[in-house]
Amino acid sequence: MDSSVHQLFHEKGTADVEKEEDMLAGVYQDLKVIKETFALNEVPREALFIGMAGLLPYVATSLSTVYLAWDINHASLEGQGILLSGESAEILLHIIEPLQMGYGAVIISFLGAIHWGLEWAKFGGAHGYRRYAYGVVAPAVAWPTLLLPVEYALIAQFAAFSFLYFADARAVVRGWAPPWYSTYRFVLTFVVGASIVVSLIGRGQIADKISRLPGPGDRLKQLRESQVAALEEEERERRARVMAADEEEEDEEEEGDKDLSSRPTYSDAQIGDYLHTIGINNLKRDRVSGTHEESLQTLSELQAHQLCTYPFENLSLHYSTTHTISLDIDVLYHKFVGKGRGGYCMENNAFFGTVLRSLGYEVTSVGARVCMGVNSGDAAKYGSWSHMVNIITIEGHKYMVDVGFGGNGATAPLLLKHNVVQERISPGQMGLVQSNIAEHTDPSQRLWVYQVRHATDKDWEPTYCFTETEFLPQDYELMNFWTSQNRRSFFTYSILMAKMIMSEDGRLIGTVTLSDGREAKKRIGSEVVETRVCKSEQERLQLLKDWFDTRLTEEEKRGILGTVTELKG
């Protein structure tokens, strides 16, 4: 006979098993209901495939946002991301943001437009404005979200997708849409909503580690503020004009007391930048006003570095849209220090004279006549006043300083003393004589004649003559106009360049010259060590870059096209 205890436990165990089987059956039934509820078997294949494909941009941008956020976090902790730097990851994130937002606005508008199509097809009957309202409200909600910050835009679009889903489900119940449409929309909306949530979570992890790009709303605010600022600026300018008019009246009253002999100078900051560009970073300004030897040595150093930094050139008359030259000191400063360019005689000496005056030197600017022999003419004849020279006075001693005559120009200050001779670039020499010139009708007149010879056994060659009479800015205005614009001036039909070469110990040892715009020579002493002949514009532009460190803008390069100096080879 079986034990009663055994019987009792046997019956209880059987009941538990049957209960567990009932529970599993219920779960299976629930899963079956869920499966049947969200089955997409009735969805047309075309709509199913296109709808699923439309989810890919959302999924891609969301996953990308999460990865980039992770890379930015990693970079903030370790100093470098896994695949990208923190900066690169942030740039890509800011590219993805408007893509996801814009795509969302397009899809929301599309979902609204579907109801217009159903209305036109008279699906479920004609319902007029009630169904058209879906197509109007959807884009009206979608596109303004692009004006919001990213987080708010995504949240607003999430709400719009959810609202449209419930509207579409209601349309199915009313018979306004196919029966399968609500299930189809639920699946798509679920994936889109999940993608938006993932994007928000990713951004939430790096909210304090990235900058926020200005959105359309920010730009509208900036536009409004700029308009207000423009009105305020206009009012300030009006008041400034009124004040300027009042000051002009006062200046006219004080005009009689103005010092007409004053000349413009550069600021200390401008002089500092200039010295840096010519390679002098430790100039002691007190040496300018120090002993005669200190002041002269400083002047010599400045002249040498000027000659080796800024070339003698007339490119502005050829590679330019205006083909003109200005002697305004601010224009010259921008051209030399700002652009690293040089200039022809009056540009170089006007600029350098202003630099010396700004440093405290006593500067007198005088005019000069260039000897015809310089351009293969009659060496006994001289041209008109077309050159500028500076005379620097140091403790009563006058020195000729010229940084604007090219390859045969002076390389150091020359004392105004008859028959003075000084080494130029070895083995060459330079000197001054005070004499009459052949074309003078009065033989008692005297001018300073600057001359050079290329070796001690060679003859002296007169280069130009100059006076000690000071020339005024208006004199140079006329001289500059004729020299730069008259068709008989060789500057207008020939390209010339020259620059000095400095050794490591600060001595001038050679020159680099470009003659007639084609042939360039590099000399060390009196020996030609390299020659290049330019046959095309491309070759000449490359030469300017290689030998003279001169780079022209595209606009400047186009300025020579169609002129007599263009190389058409």
Side-chain angles (χ1 to χ4, degrees):
M1 184 175 67
D2 295 332
S3 168
S4 59
V5 175
H6 173 75
Q7 186 70 22
L8 177 62
F9 279 94
H10 175 73
E11 293 175 356
K12 184 175 178 60
T14 300
D16 290 341
V17 171
E18 293 175 352
K19 184 176 181 181
E20 291 174 0
E21 291 177 351
D22 291 340
M23 291 177 62
L24 289 174
V27 171
Y28 291 144
Q29 183 62 30
D30 291 341
L31 292 174
K32 183 179 180 181
V33 171
I34 294 173
K35 179 180 179 181
E36 292 176 351
T37 300
F38 298 106
L40 301 174
N41 297 332
E42 298 180 5
V43 179
R45 292 175 60 85
E46 295 84 353
L48 178 61
F49 292 155
I50 294 175
M52 293 302 175
L55 295 175
L56 294 179
Y58 252 111
V59 175
T61 53
S62 296
L63 293 179
S64 298
T65 298
V66 171
Y67 170 74
L68 293 174
W70 177 68
D71 228 10
I72 292 171
N73 263 329
H74 190 277
S76 68
L77 295 175
E78 304 294 336
Q80 176 65 35
I82 301 300
L83 296 178
L84 302 169
S85 66
E87 293 80 3
S88 297
E90 183 174 346
I91 291 173
L92 287 176
L93 182 62
H94 287 320
I95 293 175
I96 289 173
E97 290 170 353
L99 292 178
Q100 186 174 19
M101 293 164 55
Y103 187 68
V106 169
I107 297 302
I108 292 172
S109 301
F110 172 76
L111 292 175
I114 288 176
H115 290 276
W116 281 53
L118 293 172
E119 179 63 25
W120 289 344
K122 299 295 189 292
F123 190 95
H127 302 283
Y129 289 117
R130 287 188 297 170
R131 188 142 58 175
Y132 283 133
Y134 287 103
V136 174
V137 172
V141 171
W143 292 106
T145 62
L146 301 185
L147 300 176
L148 302 174
V150 179
E151 293 83 356
Y152 296 119
L154 292 177
I155 293 172
Q157 290 186 3
F158 180 88
F161 277 114
S162 300
F163 169 79
L164 281 173
Y165 163 69
F166 287 112
D168 289 342
R170 183 63 179 168
V172 171
V173 172
R174 291 178 175 179
W176 293 5
W180 51 267
Y181 189 58
S182 60
T183 303
Y184 175 67
R185 282 282 290 108
F186 176 82
V187 173
L188 297 183
T189 302
F190 177 80
V191 175
V192 170
S195 298
I196 292 176
V197 171
V198 168
S199 295
L200 290 171
I201 292 173
R203 288 190 56 80
Q205 299 300 313
I206 54 171
D208 59 339
K209 297 181 177 67
I210 61 172
S211 60
R212 187 177 73 85
L213 293 179
D218 298 312
R219 293 188 176 92
L220 288 174
K221 181 180 178 182
Q222 291 174 358
L223 176 61
R224 184 172 64 253
E225 292 176 349
S226 66
Q227 291 173 336
V228 173
L231 292 174
E232 294 175 349
E233 180 64 23
E234 184 178 346
E235 176 62 20
R236 283 195 295 269
E237 290 178 355
R238 187 191 65 79
R239 294 180 179 178
R241 286 195 297 270
V242 172
M243 294 178 63
D246 293 340
E247 292 175 358
E248 186 175 353
E249 292 179 2
E250 295 177 2
D251 291 341
E252 290 176 356
E253 296 174 359
E254 299 174 0
E255 188 68 28
D257 300 329
K258 183 178 179 180
D259 183 5
L260 297 178
S261 66
S262 64
R263 295 290 184 270
T265 57
Y266 294 127
S267 67
D268 289 344
Q270 288 177 307
I271 292 298
D273 290 340
Y274 163 77
L275 293 174
H276 177 72
T277 62
I278 65 172
I280 300 179
N281 296 313
N282 56 351
L283 180 72
K284 296 180 179 179
R285 298 282 290 270
D286 58 350
R287 290 175 59 86
V288 174
S289 57
T291 65
H292 177 272
E293 290 74 16
E294 290 176 338
S295 184
L296 180 59
Q297 182 181 358
T298 302
L299 178 61
S300 301
E301 183 181 1
L302 288 166
Q303 182 175 356
H305 280 78
Q306 168 81 16
L307 289 169
C308 294
T309 304
Y310 301 118
F312 168 82
E313 48 104 326
N314 63 335
L315 298 180
S316 294
L317 295 179
H318 305 278
Y319 290 101
S320 165
T321 56
T322 62
H323 303 284
T324 58
I325 287 177
S326 172
L327 298 183
D328 181 86
I329 67 163
D330 292 325
V331 173
L332 293 175
Y333 187 88
H334 175 69
K335 183 179 182 182
F336 282 72
V337 180
K339 300 175 64 176
R341 289 276 302 279
Y344 76 171
C345 62
M346 282 176 271
E347 291 178 284
N348 275 294
N349 282 319
F351 170 71
F352 191 60
T354 304
V355 168
L356 295 180
R357 187 178 296 109
S358 304
L359 287 169
Y361 282 103
E362 183 181 337
V363 182
T364 302
S365 179
V366 301
R369 300 177 183 271
V370 178
C371 179
M372 294 295 192
V374 172
N375 296 315
S376 302
D378 188 346
K381 294 183 177 181
Y382 287 82
S384 61
W385 298 109
S386 60
H387 184 55
M388 176 193 291
V389 173
N390 288 312
I391 296 177
I392 312 301
T393 304
I394 302 176
E395 293 185 353
H397 299 279
K398 295 182 178 182
Y399 293 87
M400 184 271 282
V401 174
D402 186 359
V403 293
F405 200 75
N408 285 331
T411 56
L414 267 175
L415 179 66
L416 295 193
K417 181 180 179 182
H418 182 60
N419 280 332
V420 68
V421 176
Q422 197 166 314
E423 184 181 88
R424 195 172 163 273
I425 295 177
S426 181
Q429 292 181 318
M430 57 184 177
L432 290 175
V433 293
Q434 193 173 31
S435 68
N436 181 266
I437 62 175
E439 294 171 278
H440 276 163
T441 58
D442 180 2
S444 66
Q445 291 192 55
R446 290 291 182 269
L447 292 173
W448 290 104
V449 178
Y450 168 70
Q451 53 188 5
V452 297
R453 61 180 177 182
H454 301 294
T456 55
D457 59 344
K458 302 292 184 181
D459 293 333
W460 285 102
E461 300 175 7
T463 305
Y464 57 78
C465 63
F466 61 93
T467 176
E468 291 185 50
T469 301
E470 182 176 8
F471 275 42
L472 303 179
Q474 50 267 40
D475 298 320
Y476 292 118
E477 185 176 351
L478 288 175
M479 291 164 58
N480 178 53
F481 181 77
W482 190 95
T483 305
S484 64
Q485 300 301 312
N486 191 286
R487 294 299 96 183
R488 290 183 294 166
S489 170
F490 67 89
F491 284 112
T492 65
Y493 57 79
S494 181
I495 293 179
L496 305 170
M497 292 192 74
K499 191 175 182 179
M500 302 293 180
I501 300 174
M502 180 179 288
S503 65
E504 293 183 357
D505 60 359
R507 294 181 300 109
L508 300 184
I509 59 173
T511 59
V512 180
T513 58
L514 174 64
S515 302
D516 198 25
R518 292 179 179 272
E519 187 177 58
K521 292 183 179 181
K522 185 178 293 185
R523 292 182 174 87
I524 300 298
S526 60
E527 180 182 356
V528 177
V529 297
E530 187 175 354
T531 300
R532 284 170 63 172
V533 177
C534 303
K535 298 179 180 179
S536 66
E537 278 300 320
Q538 184 176 2
E539 290 181 1
R540 184 159 62 189
L541 291 172
Q542 188 63 44
L543 173 75
L544 299 184
K545 179 181 178 182
D546 295 342
W547 282 22
F548 297 94
D549 196 25
T550 297
R551 294 166 174 78
L552 302 177
T553 65
E554 293 301 319
E555 183 182 46
E556 290 169 335
K557 294 175 185 177
R558 291 193 296 270
I560 201 171
L561 300 180
T563 66
V564 296
T565 50
E566 177 190 5
L567 293 181
K568 300 180 175 63

